[in-house]
Amino acid sequence: MMHPCVFIIFSLVLLRLQNTTANQLLAVEGGGGDDKCAAKKCLDKERDALLQFKANLQDPDGSLSTWRPEDDDCCAWEGVICDDQTGHHVTGLHIPSAGLEGEISHSLVNLTYLNRLHLSFNSFHGTIPRSIGFMTELRYLDLSYNSFYGTIPPEFGNLTNLQRLSLEDVGICRSESLEWLSHLSHLEELAMGGISLAKANQLVNMISTLPKLSFLSLDGCELSLVVHPYSSSFLNSSSSSIHTLSLRNNNLTSSMYRWLFPLTSNKLRFLSLSGNMLDGLPKYLGNLCSLEGLYFNYNSDVVNFPSFLYNLSGCTSLTLQSLYAERSQFTGSFSDDIQKFSSLIRLLLADNHINGTISKKFWELSNLKHIDLSQNHLSGAIFENIGNSMASIINLSKNPLQGVPSTDHMSNLSYVKQLDLSSCNLGPHFRRWIQKLEKLTRLDISNTRISDTVPPEFWNMQFRYLNISFNNISGQVSDLSSRDFAKTIDLSSNSFYGPIPHLPPCLASLNLSRNKFSGGISFICQFVDGLLQFLDLSHNSLIGQIPDCLWHFKELKVLNLGHNSLSGRLPPSIGSLIELEVLYLYKNSFSGQLPLSLKNCTNLNFLDLGANRFSGNLPAWIGENLSGLYALILRSNNFFGTIPLQVCQLPNLQILDFSRNNLHGSIPSCLSNLTRMAQEGLLPPPNVHPYTAPSYSHRYLSYTPKMYNGTREEYDEEEYVDHAMIEWQGDEREFTRNLGLLKSIDLSSNNLTGNIPHELTNLHELLALNLSKNALLGEIPQQLGEMKNLLALDLSRNSLSGGIPTSMSQMTSLCYLDVSCNNLSGRIPSSTQLQSFQPSRYDGNAGLCGPPLSRKCPGDEESQFGKSEGDEEDIDEDWGWFYIGGGTGFATGFWIACGALLLNRRGRHAFFQFYDNFKDWVYVKVVVFIAKLWWIAHM
């Protein structure tokens, strides 16, 4: 207990402090009343400056809604920071990610006490105001991630109190000189990523003048274009204070290491050289005794991995904790020098060309927690020593590893939490050592040649991520509803059967496609937490209706129920899928009209409802509301009516398939407005990403924890590759790999009438056009030959008349043509392509003539009259003299040419040089031609 004397003394001191504070407050407040309110409000000058700043901006999110002229106290406004010690002056403006758009007002210069200005992640545009350079009290300035353009104001050199300057991805900006940097002696952090420094000579000199600089980011600054990055006087020593240095995505070659030296020292802890063109590392980087993290990802020049490690083997090998070098063009063996890196925690070398075996010593590195050696050429009996590892994350997928991991090898992996052995050979039996890995939360053993059933105990494991796809695993799946921790389950491409079991309610991704599951899908109503982003139940034997409980799925991006036996109408709640990007219901028995609520799915860009029993008019709202669509497939249904003109309002559309319905009327000429079909190249629509080109994919989170990142949980991003069933050259094919390149229109097997609009010929990048089996009239458009990229054209079984346009002789890429069963007439134009098709492709046109048809055109018949036996003998004699003369001429010419080459040394060299060049030219042409044929064959 406290002594009584101490308690009394403490009470007196506290009372004294209370009286002093009260007197000070009374002095400031002037005794209360109106003067009290006046003392607390901000200055009118600063309040007006803020209101003028707001007046220049659009604020769709209402982030500045508290900034009202009638409110006197701007210190209470959102994002405004005041300081009582300066007399209620505004000292900070903190409004990042506020959705603001417009130009920054010069009025901010009136905030003379402002020391923090944070405006990042907005849509500010125009030039960066030079007046910011006169706000000399600034210590923190962040304008990153906006849309400015022009030059970085050199007036920033006046901000001599600045400690942190962030201009990362500020817009399309440049700085032709960094001289202004040399005045910022207090600067500690500098981020200028995305700003062009191509003309900023001696930038190393300027940076080296900043004695307190500890963080420097110059990512994507076009540093490879700098002609004179330094002067020689700065290269002899290094006294840099930088501890984090990032030079990513600059196309730098190894010549940059000369000017990198003065920016490095033993204070450097993190170095990023990713996204460049380096062929190795200099030895001085191996002597950085504080380096903890080295980022060398996505390097585009070949690097010898043993040499790379050798040059890092100085004191850096004792401190380096993280080496990120995925897709770095590493070659050579998995060097034993890796054993020297005793502090290594994370080693990520995926997708390289490293070969050889891994020594036992590597697995004994005690600090190594995350190993990713996937997609290399590692071989040998690696699994013999893997049990010595203390790593929690191991990825050896897609290597030609020898042997099958046994219980003795793998059961000792007591620390492993994430294990990826995909595309390794684990089969044919399901490995029971997996159940002994008690801490395992992520398992990927997809495509591992397993042909077996799953042990019942396996389903009791505590997986957050499970992928056993692309095997031949059979049996029924146990009840998984109690696995609340599970986020991703992928059992696709196996032989599981029976009803789909109860599943964890918090799943983010579920893929049960290409199995033998049966029964209904009412189980999806269990997912009440709204976390599901990916659901693929395609290629099973599911029946029944889609339950009307889809309002739970606010985050769902991909819904694939194709190739089942589902039926009934689409539920109205399908309109609740506001994040949906892919809806694939192909080949079911759905019926009725499309629900009006589907128009609420405005993020859709892939809609395939083909091979069902949908009916009614084609909805106009598809073109009005779903502007992001790049694929619209409604083939093989019972739709009727005309093609709505609103379809022409889909600028991203590149696959349009309305075939095999009951549509009538004419083909809208406005289809020429489908600009994607006229644009060259692979241009992904909104929310769609180029996959392994030329495919399209959709990204979603699989919620896979990366445990190596401490307590902060991160999530993996998965990809779903789009695919579609398309009629191609008379056959139905599934497109996946080349879907991103496909640009096609199929309106076949309807009741369309009228002429073929000549405007369609403006779609110069169209690859396939199928208008067959309709009732089209008139002539084939004369400009059709301008569609030189067409690979497939089907106009058969219509009532077209007139001739085949002569311009079609220019369609050299045409691989499939069918104009049979029309009323065409006249000569088939001469070309390599048109004569290469079977005569059946022209059948049913009584007036057509000329090759490849046997029917000759008028005037082609040669008169046989007037030819006598003597004439024929004269012809034979002429041919005889022709052969004699030709043979003699060839022999004479041959020896003249050879004699000249033998006697004339210069001529001989010139001839064979020409021959070599000509041979190379022919080789290139042949290779390109074969590549084109291969692409067409794999469409």
Side-chain angles (χ1 to χ4, degrees), residues 903-939:
L903 298 174
N904 189 333
R905 184 175 175 223
R906 179 179 296 176
R908 183 168 67 251
H909 282 221
F911 171 79
F912 284 110
Q913 184 177 2
F914 164 79
Y915 171 76
D916 288 339
N917 292 337
F918 179 74
K919 182 179 64 175
D920 293 341
W921 178 84
V922 171
Y923 173 77
V924 171
K925 291 294 183 182
V926 170
V927 169
V928 171
F929 177 72
I930 292 174
K932 183 176 181 180
L933 287 180
W934 181 92
W935 187 90
I936 292 171
H938 287 75
M939 287 292 289

Side-chain angles (χ1 to χ4, degrees), residues 203 218-226 229 246-257 259-260 272-280 296 299-301:
L203 61 90
L218 299 179
D219 299 338
C221 289
E222 299 184 328
L223 297 184
S224 62
L225 301 179
V226 181
S246 184
L247 302 175
R248 298 180 304 150
N249 303 327
N250 278 292
N251 292 322
L252 294 168
T253 63
S254 293
S255 62
M256 57 85 66
Y257 289 130
W259 59 258
L260 178 66
S272 179
L273 301 175
S274 300
N276 286 294
M277 304 169 62
L278 307 170
D279 60 6
F296 203 78
N299 185 67
S300 61
D301 202 353

Side-chain angles (χ1 to χ4, degrees), residues 27 393 509 726:
I393 302 173
S509 174
I726 302 291

Side-chain angles (χ1 to χ4, degrees), residues 23-42:
N23 291 336
Q24 289 175 341
L25 286 173
L26 286 173
V28 171
E29 295 171 1
D34 294 335
D35 290 339
K36 178 179 178 180
C37 295
K40 283 193 173 181
K41 73 175 185 179
C42 64

